[in-house]
């Protein structure tokens, strides 16, 4: 369904009818869509109400700017209000983790738990990712394409597609060229959103000072072989959030929710069962 949130239509799907609501934010603005959190958090719809959506400027949602973190956080809050949920579990992977952390820090009274996956609290991961890409023995990366997609200077949707295809082989623990091509074909491309996120938002991105203010229990998950937000990024997040616990998935790259799906799902279920039980006990 399309829901008007802050004067922009968002493409929203609601899965399940549980009492506790999970709002899951996808990553890769301008490239990502609700398909990512639907495939992972959607598996929890037997026990939770799972809400996934295309963020402003991504997927099938409206393309009205600005594409700022402040606006994306406001859209999550608008979605929570539309749902009529007093408190939610906020979840996000990769860039979606940036927004999930900011939401949890800025709306602590609206968050019952946080689930993060392969994300970072500042832009230090950019240098790490560039170094990891250059050192990859899997494929030889075109440095110009890597620089354009990482700096938000792609020329148009076709160029974004070419740059995306260039770096996709780095993401998974096990490289499958056919899977890369399927993902290239399935991706919705909005280069202006991507460019704003990486040329404007990313250079000044640093929310480490906000993380000690996240009050909710937090699960931080990451693949051991993640090239773009390596485990040290998640380790830092887990140190800074007071009630965080870290889980590293040894046979995964950037997507343990796919590469170690059963273990990742079991880990999230166990965490939420405990975390939300504690919330109920304090109420």
């Amino acid at each position: 369904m399309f829901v008007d949130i802050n004067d922009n239509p968002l493409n929203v799907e609601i899965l399940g009818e549980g009492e506790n609501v999970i709002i899951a934010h996808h990553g890769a603005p301008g490239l990502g869509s609700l398909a990512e959190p639907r495939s992972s958090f959607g598996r929890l719809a037997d026990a939770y109400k799972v809400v996934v959506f295309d963020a402003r400027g991504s997927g099938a949602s409206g393309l009205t700017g600005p594409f700022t973190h402040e606006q994306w956080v406001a859209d999550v809050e608008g979605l929570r209000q539309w749902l009529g949920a007093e408190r939610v579990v906020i979840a996000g992977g990769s860039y979606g983790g940036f927004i999930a952390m900011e939401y949890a820090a800025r709306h602590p009274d609206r968050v019952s738990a946080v689930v993060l996956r392969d994300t970072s609290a500042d832009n230090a991961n950019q240098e790490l990712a560039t170094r990891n890409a250059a050192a990859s023995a899997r494929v030889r990366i075109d440095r110009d394409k890597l620089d354009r997609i990482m700096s938000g200077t792609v020329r148009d949707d076709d160029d974004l597609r070419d740059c995306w295809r260039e770096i996709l082989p780095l993401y998974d623990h096990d490289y499958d060229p056919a899977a890369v091509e399927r993902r290239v074909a399935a991706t919705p491309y909005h280069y202006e959103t991507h460019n704003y996120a990486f040329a404007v938002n990313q250079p000044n991105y640093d929310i480490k000072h906000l993380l000690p203010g996240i009050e909710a229990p937090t699960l931080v998950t990451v693949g051991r072989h993640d090239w773009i937000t390596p485990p040290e990024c998640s380790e830092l997040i887990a140190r800074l959030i007071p009630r965080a616990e870290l889980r590293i998935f040894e046979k995964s790259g950037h997507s343990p929710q796919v590469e170690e799906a059963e273990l990742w799902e079991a880990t999230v279920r166990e965490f939420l069962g405990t975390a939300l039980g504690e919330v109920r006990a304090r109420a």
Side-chain angles (χ1 to χ4, degrees), residues 233-267:
C233 299
S234 288
E235 290 166 355
L236 176 61
I237 292 168
R239 288 198 300 271
L240 292 174
I241 297 177
R243 301 176 64 194
E245 54 185 270
L246 174 67
R247 295 290 185 272
I248 299 178
F249 292 79
E250 300 295 337
K251 299 178 182 178
S252 293
H254 191 62
S255 300
Q257 82 282 9
V258 174
E259 297 188 284
E260 296 182 77
E262 291 186 5
L263 178 59
W264 186 87
E265 179 184 335
T267 302

PDB file of all heavy atoms in Angstrom, residues 233-267:
ATOM      1  N   CYS A 233      33.641  -2.053  13.003  1.00  0.00           N
ATOM      2  CA  CYS A 233      32.592  -1.028  13.086  1.00  0.00           C
ATOM      3  C   CYS A 233      31.498  -1.459  14.058  1.00  0.00           C
ATOM      4  O   CYS A 233      31.028  -0.663  14.881  1.00  0.00           O
ATOM      5  CB  CYS A 233      31.997  -0.769  11.709  1.00  0.00           C
ATOM      6  SG  CYS A 233      33.163  -0.146  10.476  1.00  0.00           S
ATOM      7  N   SER A 234      31.088  -2.715  13.980  1.00  0.00           N
ATOM      8  CA  SER A 234      30.059  -3.225  14.887  1.00  0.00           C
ATOM      9  C   SER A 234      30.589  -3.358  16.310  1.00  0.00           C
ATOM     10  O   SER A 234      29.845  -3.154  17.283  1.00  0.00           O
ATOM     11  CB  SER A 234      29.541  -4.577  14.384  1.00  0.00           C
ATOM     12  OG  SER A 234      28.746  -4.407  13.237  1.00  0.00           O
ATOM     13  N   GLU A 235      31.858  -3.701  16.444  1.00  0.00           N
ATOM     14  CA  GLU A 235      32.455  -3.792  17.777  1.00  0.00           C
ATOM     15  C   GLU A 235      32.411  -2.435  18.474  1.00  0.00           C
ATOM     16  O   GLU A 235      32.138  -2.349  19.678  1.00  0.00           O
ATOM     17  CB  GLU A 235      33.884  -4.305  17.660  1.00  0.00           C
ATOM     18  CG  GLU A 235      33.967  -5.765  17.243  1.00  0.00           C
ATOM     19  CD  GLU A 235      35.355  -6.194  16.809  1.00  0.00           C
ATOM     20  OE1 GLU A 235      36.261  -5.332  16.739  1.00  0.00           O
ATOM     21  OE2 GLU A 235      35.540  -7.398  16.531  1.00  0.00           O
ATOM     22  N   LEU A 236      32.674  -1.366  17.722  1.00  0.00           N
ATOM     23  CA  LEU A 236      32.613  -0.021  18.294  1.00  0.00           C
ATOM     24  C   LEU A 236      31.185   0.318  18.721  1.00  0.00           C
ATOM     25  O   LEU A 236      30.966   0.845  19.824  1.00  0.00           O
ATOM     26  CB  LEU A 236      33.119   1.002  17.274  1.00  0.00           C
ATOM     27  CG  LEU A 236      33.031   2.474  17.695  1.00  0.00           C
ATOM     28  CD1 LEU A 236      33.869   2.728  18.945  1.00  0.00           C
ATOM     29  CD2 LEU A 236      33.460   3.387  16.548  1.00  0.00           C
ATOM     30  N   ILE A 237      30.217   0.011  17.883  1.00  0.00           N
ATOM     31  CA  ILE A 237      28.819   0.265  18.226  1.00  0.00           C
ATOM     32  C   ILE A 237      28.442  -0.458  19.511  1.00  0.00           C
ATOM     33  O   ILE A 237      27.818   0.113  20.415  1.00  0.00           O
ATOM     34  CB  ILE A 237      27.899  -0.172  17.074  1.00  0.00           C
ATOM     35  CG1 ILE A 237      28.096   0.735  15.859  1.00  0.00           C
ATOM     36  CG2 ILE A 237      26.435  -0.168  17.505  1.00  0.00           C
ATOM     37  CD1 ILE A 237      27.440   0.218  14.589  1.00  0.00           C
ATOM     38  N   ALA A 238      28.833  -1.718  19.612  1.00  0.00           N
ATOM     39  CA  ALA A 238      28.481  -2.520  20.792  1.00  0.00           C
ATOM     40  C   ALA A 238      29.129  -1.981  22.061  1.00  0.00           C
ATOM     41  O   ALA A 238      28.573  -2.113  23.157  1.00  0.00           O
ATOM     42  CB  ALA A 238      28.865  -3.975  20.570  1.00  0.00           C
ATOM     43  N   ARG A 239      30.300  -1.374  21.925  1.00  0.00           N
ATOM     44  CA  ARG A 239      30.948  -0.771  23.105  1.00  0.00           C
ATOM     45  C   ARG A 239      30.244   0.504  23.545  1.00  0.00           C
ATOM     46  O   ARG A 239      30.205   0.818  24.742  1.00  0.00           O
ATOM     47  CB  ARG A 239      32.420  -0.462  22.810  1.00  0.00           C
ATOM     48  CG  ARG A 239      33.321  -1.678  22.713  1.00  0.00           C
ATOM     49  CD  ARG A 239      34.786  -1.296  22.859  1.00  0.00           C
ATOM     50  NE  ARG A 239      35.224  -0.361  21.825  1.00  0.00           N
ATOM     51  CZ  ARG A 239      35.726  -0.736  20.640  1.00  0.00           C
ATOM     52  NH1 ARG A 239      35.827  -2.022  20.349  1.00  0.00           N
ATOM     53  NH2 ARG A 239      36.120   0.172  19.764  1.00  0.00           N
ATOM     54  N   LEU A 240      29.675   1.242  22.606  1.00  0.00           N
ATOM     55  CA  LEU A 240      29.117   2.553  22.919  1.00  0.00           C
ATOM     56  C   LEU A 240      27.665   2.507  23.370  1.00  0.00           C
ATOM     57  O   LEU A 240      27.230   3.381  24.124  1.00  0.00           O
ATOM     58  CB  LEU A 240      29.245   3.474  21.699  1.00  0.00           C
ATOM     59  CG  LEU A 240      30.672   3.882  21.323  1.00  0.00           C
ATOM     60  CD1 LEU A 240      30.683   4.677  20.028  1.00  0.00           C
ATOM     61  CD2 LEU A 240      31.310   4.698  22.449  1.00  0.00           C
ATOM     62  N   ILE A 241      26.896   1.528  22.917  1.00  0.00           N
ATOM     63  CA  ILE A 241      25.498   1.419  23.343  1.00  0.00           C
ATOM     64  C   ILE A 241      25.450   0.627  24.645  1.00  0.00           C
ATOM     65  O   ILE A 241      25.920  -0.513  24.707  1.00  0.00           O
ATOM     66  CB  ILE A 241      24.644   0.737  22.257  1.00  0.00           C
ATOM     67  CG1 ILE A 241      24.623   1.591  20.982  1.00  0.00           C
ATOM     68  CG2 ILE A 241      23.220   0.516  22.759  1.00  0.00           C
ATOM     69  CD1 ILE A 241      23.859   0.970  19.828  1.00  0.00           C
ATOM     70  N   PRO A 242      24.906   1.213  25.698  1.00  0.00           N
ATOM     71  CA  PRO A 242      25.005   0.595  27.034  1.00  0.00           C
ATOM     72  C   PRO A 242      24.482  -0.829  27.134  1.00  0.00           C
ATOM     73  O   PRO A 242      25.073  -1.665  27.825  1.00  0.00           O
ATOM     74  CB  PRO A 242      24.183   1.553  27.910  1.00  0.00           C
ATOM     75  CG  PRO A 242      24.256   2.869  27.205  1.00  0.00           C
ATOM     76  CD  PRO A 242      24.269   2.540  25.745  1.00  0.00           C
ATOM     77  N   ARG A 243      23.377  -1.143  26.459  1.00  0.00           N
ATOM     78  CA  ARG A 243      22.752  -2.465  26.623  1.00  0.00           C
ATOM     79  C   ARG A 243      22.863  -3.274  25.331  1.00  0.00           C
ATOM     80  O   ARG A 243      21.940  -4.000  24.965  1.00  0.00           O
ATOM     81  CB  ARG A 243      21.293  -2.297  27.044  1.00  0.00           C
ATOM     82  CG  ARG A 243      21.119  -1.520  28.349  1.00  0.00           C
ATOM     83  CD  ARG A 243      19.667  -1.291  28.675  1.00  0.00           C
ATOM     84  NE  ARG A 243      18.966  -2.545  28.916  1.00  0.00           N
ATOM     85  CZ  ARG A 243      17.639  -2.648  28.952  1.00  0.00           C
ATOM     86  NH1 ARG A 243      16.881  -1.593  28.719  1.00  0.00           N
ATOM     87  NH2 ARG A 243      17.070  -3.819  29.185  1.00  0.00           N
ATOM     88  N   ALA A 244      24.015  -3.182  24.689  1.00  0.00           N
ATOM     89  CA  ALA A 244      24.201  -3.875  23.408  1.00  0.00           C
ATOM     90  C   ALA A 244      24.897  -5.205  23.592  1.00  0.00           C
ATOM     91  O   ALA A 244      25.722  -5.381  24.493  1.00  0.00           O
ATOM     92  CB  ALA A 244      25.013  -3.006  22.462  1.00  0.00           C
ATOM     93  N   GLU A 245      24.546  -6.130  22.713  1.00  0.00           N
ATOM     94  CA  GLU A 245      25.278  -7.389  22.620  1.00  0.00           C
ATOM     95  C   GLU A 245      25.640  -7.628  21.163  1.00  0.00           C
ATOM     96  O   GLU A 245      24.870  -7.324  20.254  1.00  0.00           O
ATOM     97  CB  GLU A 245      24.469  -8.550  23.182  1.00  0.00           C
ATOM     98  CG  GLU A 245      23.085  -8.731  22.610  1.00  0.00           C
ATOM     99  CD  GLU A 245      22.313  -9.841  23.310  1.00  0.00           C
ATOM    100  OE1 GLU A 245      22.413 -11.007  22.863  1.00  0.00           O
ATOM    101  OE2 GLU A 245      21.600  -9.529  24.295  1.00  0.00           O
ATOM    102  N   LEU A 246      26.826  -8.167  20.948  1.00  0.00           N
ATOM    103  CA  LEU A 246      27.385  -8.339  19.611  1.00  0.00           C
ATOM    104  C   LEU A 246      27.409  -9.810  19.227  1.00  0.00           C
ATOM    105  O   LEU A 246      27.797 -10.668  20.027  1.00  0.00           O
ATOM    106  CB  LEU A 246      28.809  -7.775  19.568  1.00  0.00           C
ATOM    107  CG  LEU A 246      29.620  -7.986  18.287  1.00  0.00           C
ATOM    108  CD1 LEU A 246      29.019  -7.205  17.132  1.00  0.00           C
ATOM    109  CD2 LEU A 246      31.076  -7.584  18.511  1.00  0.00           C
ATOM    110  N   ARG A 247      27.007 -10.111  17.978  1.00  0.00           N
ATOM    111  CA  ARG A 247      27.099 -11.451  17.433  1.00  0.00           C
ATOM    112  C   ARG A 247      27.787 -11.379  16.070  1.00  0.00           C
ATOM    113  O   ARG A 247      27.308 -10.681  15.169  1.00  0.00           O
ATOM    114  CB  ARG A 247      25.713 -12.086  17.275  1.00  0.00           C
ATOM    115  CG  ARG A 247      24.982 -12.316  18.581  1.00  0.00           C
ATOM    116  CD  ARG A 247      25.624 -13.438  19.400  1.00  0.00           C
ATOM    117  NE  ARG A 247      24.852 -13.726  20.601  1.00  0.00           N
ATOM    118  CZ  ARG A 247      25.010 -13.118  21.761  1.00  0.00           C
ATOM    119  NH1 ARG A 247      25.935 -12.162  21.875  1.00  0.00           N
ATOM    120  NH2 ARG A 247      24.274 -13.436  22.800  1.00  0.00           N
ATOM    121  N   ILE A 248      28.902 -12.075  15.932  1.00  0.00           N
ATOM    122  CA  ILE A 248      29.638 -12.121  14.671  1.00  0.00           C
ATOM    123  C   ILE A 248      29.385 -13.461  13.998  1.00  0.00           C
ATOM    124  O   ILE A 248      29.516 -14.515  14.623  1.00  0.00           O
ATOM    125  CB  ILE A 248      31.144 -11.904  14.904  1.00  0.00           C
ATOM    126  CG1 ILE A 248      31.382 -10.524  15.529  1.00  0.00           C
ATOM    127  CG2 ILE A 248      31.915 -12.031  13.583  1.00  0.00           C
ATOM    128  CD1 ILE A 248      32.849 -10.228  15.853  1.00  0.00           C
ATOM    129  N   PHE A 249      29.026 -13.406  12.728  1.00  0.00           N
ATOM    130  CA  PHE A 249      28.698 -14.611  11.968  1.00  0.00           C
ATOM    131  C   PHE A 249      29.888 -14.982  11.093  1.00  0.00           C
ATOM    132  O   PHE A 249      30.270 -14.237  10.187  1.00  0.00           O
ATOM    133  CB  PHE A 249      27.418 -14.378  11.148  1.00  0.00           C
ATOM    134  CG  PHE A 249      26.205 -14.229  12.029  1.00  0.00           C
ATOM    135  CD1 PHE A 249      25.940 -13.024  12.681  1.00  0.00           C
ATOM    136  CD2 PHE A 249      25.370 -15.307  12.254  1.00  0.00           C
ATOM    137  CE1 PHE A 249      24.850 -12.899  13.520  1.00  0.00           C
ATOM    138  CE2 PHE A 249      24.274 -15.192  13.092  1.00  0.00           C
ATOM    139  CZ  PHE A 249      24.011 -13.990  13.737  1.00  0.00           C
ATOM    140  N   GLU A 250      30.486 -16.118  11.415  1.00  0.00           N
ATOM    141  CA  GLU A 250      31.798 -16.462  10.891  1.00  0.00           C
ATOM    142  C   GLU A 250      31.807 -16.854   9.419  1.00  0.00           C
ATOM    143  O   GLU A 250      32.860 -16.825   8.785  1.00  0.00           O
ATOM    144  CB  GLU A 250      32.402 -17.598  11.724  1.00  0.00           C
ATOM    145  CG  GLU A 250      32.595 -17.256  13.193  1.00  0.00           C
ATOM    146  CD  GLU A 250      33.619 -16.149  13.418  1.00  0.00           C
ATOM    147  OE1 GLU A 250      34.474 -15.962  12.530  1.00  0.00           O
ATOM    148  OE2 GLU A 250      33.572 -15.489  14.470  1.00  0.00           O
ATOM    149  N   LYS A 251      30.682 -17.222   8.852  1.00  0.00           N
ATOM    150  CA  LYS A 251      30.639 -17.674   7.461  1.00  0.00           C
ATOM    151  C   LYS A 251      29.846 -16.707   6.588  1.00  0.00           C
ATOM    152  O   LYS A 251      29.199 -17.113   5.629  1.00  0.00           O
ATOM    153  CB  LYS A 251      30.041 -19.078   7.385  1.00  0.00           C
ATOM    154  CG  LYS A 251      30.851 -20.127   8.144  1.00  0.00           C
ATOM    155  CD  LYS A 251      30.185 -21.494   8.087  1.00  0.00           C
ATOM    156  CE  LYS A 251      30.976 -22.525   8.877  1.00  0.00           C
ATOM    157  NZ  LYS A 251      30.311 -23.861   8.860  1.00  0.00           N
ATOM    158  N   SER A 252      29.904 -15.422   6.926  1.00  0.00           N
ATOM    159  CA  SER A 252      29.126 -14.422   6.202  1.00  0.00           C
ATOM    160  C   SER A 252      29.977 -13.233   5.797  1.00  0.00           C
ATOM    161  O   SER A 252      30.978 -12.910   6.444  1.00  0.00           O
ATOM    162  CB  SER A 252      27.964 -13.916   7.065  1.00  0.00           C
ATOM    163  OG  SER A 252      27.023 -14.933   7.288  1.00  0.00           O
ATOM    164  N   GLY A 253      29.517 -12.579   4.726  1.00  0.00           N
ATOM    165  CA  GLY A 253      30.036 -11.286   4.333  1.00  0.00           C
ATOM    166  C   GLY A 253      29.120 -10.215   4.901  1.00  0.00           C
ATOM    167  O   GLY A 253      28.873 -10.155   6.103  1.00  0.00           O
ATOM    168  N   HIS A 254      28.575  -9.376   4.002  1.00  0.00           N
ATOM    169  CA  HIS A 254      27.735  -8.263   4.429  1.00  0.00           C
ATOM    170  C   HIS A 254      26.306  -8.690   4.754  1.00  0.00           C
ATOM    171  O   HIS A 254      25.530  -7.869   5.247  1.00  0.00           O
ATOM    172  CB  HIS A 254      27.728  -7.206   3.315  1.00  0.00           C
ATOM    173  CG  HIS A 254      27.121  -5.894   3.697  1.00  0.00           C
ATOM    174  ND1 HIS A 254      27.627  -5.090   4.701  1.00  0.00           N
ATOM    175  CD2 HIS A 254      26.041  -5.219   3.194  1.00  0.00           C
ATOM    176  CE1 HIS A 254      26.897  -3.989   4.798  1.00  0.00           C
ATOM    177  NE2 HIS A 254      25.924  -4.045   3.897  1.00  0.00           N
ATOM    178  N   SER A 255      25.955  -9.959   4.518  1.00  0.00           N
ATOM    179  CA  SER A 255      24.556 -10.366   4.656  1.00  0.00           C
ATOM    180  C   SER A 255      24.386 -11.673   5.428  1.00  0.00           C
ATOM    181  O   SER A 255      23.960 -12.690   4.877  1.00  0.00           O
ATOM    182  CB  SER A 255      23.922 -10.506   3.262  1.00  0.00           C
ATOM    183  OG  SER A 255      23.973  -9.297   2.555  1.00  0.00           O
ATOM    184  N   PRO A 256      24.679 -11.692   6.726  1.00  0.00           N
ATOM    185  CA  PRO A 256      24.463 -12.923   7.497  1.00  0.00           C
ATOM    186  C   PRO A 256      22.997 -13.349   7.534  1.00  0.00           C
ATOM    187  O   PRO A 256      22.703 -14.525   7.718  1.00  0.00           O
ATOM    188  CB  PRO A 256      24.981 -12.563   8.894  1.00  0.00           C
ATOM    189  CG  PRO A 256      24.943 -11.067   8.949  1.00  0.00           C
ATOM    190  CD  PRO A 256      25.234 -10.610   7.554  1.00  0.00           C
ATOM    191  N   GLN A 257      22.079 -12.407   7.327  1.00  0.00           N
ATOM    192  CA  GLN A 257      20.655 -12.752   7.307  1.00  0.00           C
ATOM    193  C   GLN A 257      20.312 -13.620   6.110  1.00  0.00           C
ATOM    194  O   GLN A 257      19.264 -14.283   6.087  1.00  0.00           O
ATOM    195  CB  GLN A 257      19.797 -11.476   7.330  1.00  0.00           C
ATOM    196  CG  GLN A 257      19.593 -10.774   6.003  1.00  0.00           C
ATOM    197  CD  GLN A 257      20.787  -9.947   5.547  1.00  0.00           C
ATOM    198  OE1 GLN A 257      21.861 -10.013   6.126  1.00  0.00           O
ATOM    199  NE2 GLN A 257      20.600  -9.144   4.514  1.00  0.00           N
ATOM    200  N   VAL A 258      21.220 -13.659   5.127  1.00  0.00           N
ATOM    201  CA  VAL A 258      21.053 -14.513   3.947  1.00  0.00           C
ATOM    202  C   VAL A 258      22.009 -15.695   4.004  1.00  0.00           C
ATOM    203  O   VAL A 258      21.617 -16.847   3.800  1.00  0.00           O
ATOM    204  CB  VAL A 258      21.300 -13.708   2.650  1.00  0.00           C
ATOM    205  CG1 VAL A 258      21.264 -14.619   1.425  1.00  0.00           C
ATOM    206  CG2 VAL A 258      20.283 -12.581   2.513  1.00  0.00           C
ATOM    207  N   GLU A 259      23.271 -15.424   4.311  1.00  0.00           N
ATOM    208  CA  GLU A 259      24.307 -16.458   4.211  1.00  0.00           C
ATOM    209  C   GLU A 259      24.294 -17.439   5.380  1.00  0.00           C
ATOM    210  O   GLU A 259      24.733 -18.585   5.230  1.00  0.00           O
ATOM    211  CB  GLU A 259      25.666 -15.787   4.077  1.00  0.00           C
ATOM    212  CG  GLU A 259      25.767 -14.959   2.798  1.00  0.00           C
ATOM    213  CD  GLU A 259      27.157 -14.441   2.548  1.00  0.00           C
ATOM    214  OE1 GLU A 259      27.559 -13.479   3.227  1.00  0.00           O
ATOM    215  OE2 GLU A 259      27.847 -15.003   1.673  1.00  0.00           O
ATOM    216  N   GLU A 260      23.835 -16.992   6.532  1.00  0.00           N
ATOM    217  CA  GLU A 260      23.632 -17.891   7.679  1.00  0.00           C
ATOM    218  C   GLU A 260      22.229 -17.641   8.224  1.00  0.00           C
ATOM    219  O   GLU A 260      22.043 -17.342   9.395  1.00  0.00           O
ATOM    220  CB  GLU A 260      24.703 -17.646   8.738  1.00  0.00           C
ATOM    221  CG  GLU A 260      26.113 -17.985   8.264  1.00  0.00           C
ATOM    222  CD  GLU A 260      27.165 -17.780   9.328  1.00  0.00           C
ATOM    223  OE1 GLU A 260      27.284 -18.623  10.235  1.00  0.00           O
ATOM    224  OE2 GLU A 260      27.881 -16.754   9.240  1.00  0.00           O
ATOM    225  N   ALA A 261      21.264 -17.794   7.315  1.00  0.00           N
ATOM    226  CA  ALA A 261      19.890 -17.362   7.581  1.00  0.00           C
ATOM    227  C   ALA A 261      19.292 -17.993   8.841  1.00  0.00           C
ATOM    228  O   ALA A 261      18.691 -17.297   9.666  1.00  0.00           O
ATOM    229  CB  ALA A 261      19.011 -17.652   6.368  1.00  0.00           C
ATOM    230  N   GLU A 262      19.439 -19.296   8.997  1.00  0.00           N
ATOM    231  CA  GLU A 262      18.808 -19.957  10.133  1.00  0.00           C
ATOM    232  C   GLU A 262      19.418 -19.509  11.455  1.00  0.00           C
ATOM    233  O   GLU A 262      18.702 -19.247  12.423  1.00  0.00           O
ATOM    234  CB  GLU A 262      18.918 -21.477   9.972  1.00  0.00           C
ATOM    235  CG  GLU A 262      18.071 -22.042   8.843  1.00  0.00           C
ATOM    236  CD  GLU A 262      18.106 -23.554   8.805  1.00  0.00           C
ATOM    237  OE1 GLU A 262      18.713 -24.170   9.717  1.00  0.00           O
ATOM    238  OE2 GLU A 262      17.516 -24.135   7.870  1.00  0.00           O
ATOM    239  N   LEU A 263      20.749 -19.407  11.494  1.00  0.00           N
ATOM    240  CA  LEU A 263      21.415 -18.976  12.720  1.00  0.00           C
ATOM    241  C   LEU A 263      21.086 -17.523  13.035  1.00  0.00           C
ATOM    242  O   LEU A 263      20.830 -17.166  14.192  1.00  0.00           O
ATOM    243  CB  LEU A 263      22.922 -19.165  12.590  1.00  0.00           C
ATOM    244  CG  LEU A 263      23.778 -18.716  13.775  1.00  0.00           C
ATOM    245  CD1 LEU A 263      23.367 -19.457  15.044  1.00  0.00           C
ATOM    246  CD2 LEU A 263      25.258 -18.927  13.484  1.00  0.00           C
ATOM    247  N   TRP A 264      21.089 -16.686  12.008  1.00  0.00           N
ATOM    248  CA  TRP A 264      20.773 -15.261  12.208  1.00  0.00           C
ATOM    249  C   TRP A 264      19.346 -15.103  12.733  1.00  0.00           C
ATOM    250  O   TRP A 264      19.110 -14.376  13.699  1.00  0.00           O
ATOM    251  CB  TRP A 264      20.962 -14.494  10.907  1.00  0.00           C
ATOM    252  CG  TRP A 264      20.792 -13.006  11.052  1.00  0.00           C
ATOM    253  CD1 TRP A 264      21.737 -12.096  11.405  1.00  0.00           C
ATOM    254  CD2 TRP A 264      19.568 -12.274  10.849  1.00  0.00           C
ATOM    255  NE1 TRP A 264      21.189 -10.831  11.434  1.00  0.00           N
ATOM    256  CE2 TRP A 264      19.864 -10.913  11.103  1.00  0.00           C
ATOM    257  CE3 TRP A 264      18.268 -12.637  10.481  1.00  0.00           C
ATOM    258  CZ2 TRP A 264      18.900  -9.913  10.995  1.00  0.00           C
ATOM    259  CZ3 TRP A 264      17.302 -11.645  10.385  1.00  0.00           C
ATOM    260  CH2 TRP A 264      17.626 -10.293  10.633  1.00  0.00           C
ATOM    261  N   GLU A 265      18.402 -15.804  12.100  1.00  0.00           N
ATOM    262  CA  GLU A 265      17.013 -15.708  12.543  1.00  0.00           C
ATOM    263  C   GLU A 265      16.853 -16.196  13.984  1.00  0.00           C
ATOM    264  O   GLU A 265      16.166 -15.545  14.795  1.00  0.00           O
ATOM    265  CB  GLU A 265      16.112 -16.521  11.618  1.00  0.00           C
ATOM    266  CG  GLU A 265      14.645 -16.498  12.027  1.00  0.00           C
ATOM    267  CD  GLU A 265      13.782 -17.388  11.151  1.00  0.00           C
ATOM    268  OE1 GLU A 265      14.146 -17.647   9.992  1.00  0.00           O
ATOM    269  OE2 GLU A 265      12.727 -17.834  11.654  1.00  0.00           O
ATOM    270  N   ALA A 266      17.478 -17.314  14.316  1.00  0.00           N
ATOM    271  CA  ALA A 266      17.383 -17.839  15.678  1.00  0.00           C
ATOM    272  C   ALA A 266      17.969 -16.853  16.687  1.00  0.00           C
ATOM    273  O   ALA A 266      17.441 -16.675  17.791  1.00  0.00           O
ATOM    274  CB  ALA A 266      18.089 -19.186  15.775  1.00  0.00           C
ATOM    275  N   THR A 267      19.075 -16.203  16.306  1.00  0.00           N
ATOM    276  CA  THR A 267      19.718 -15.222  17.181  1.00  0.00           C
ATOM    277  C   THR A 267      18.802 -14.040  17.439  1.00  0.00           C
ATOM    278  O   THR A 267      18.663 -13.573  18.580  1.00  0.00           O
ATOM    279  CB  THR A 267      21.043 -14.742  16.548  1.00  0.00           C
ATOM    280  OG1 THR A 267      21.901 -15.865  16.337  1.00  0.00           O
ATOM    281  CG2 THR A 267      21.740 -13.726  17.427  1.00  0.00           C
TER     282      THR A 267
END
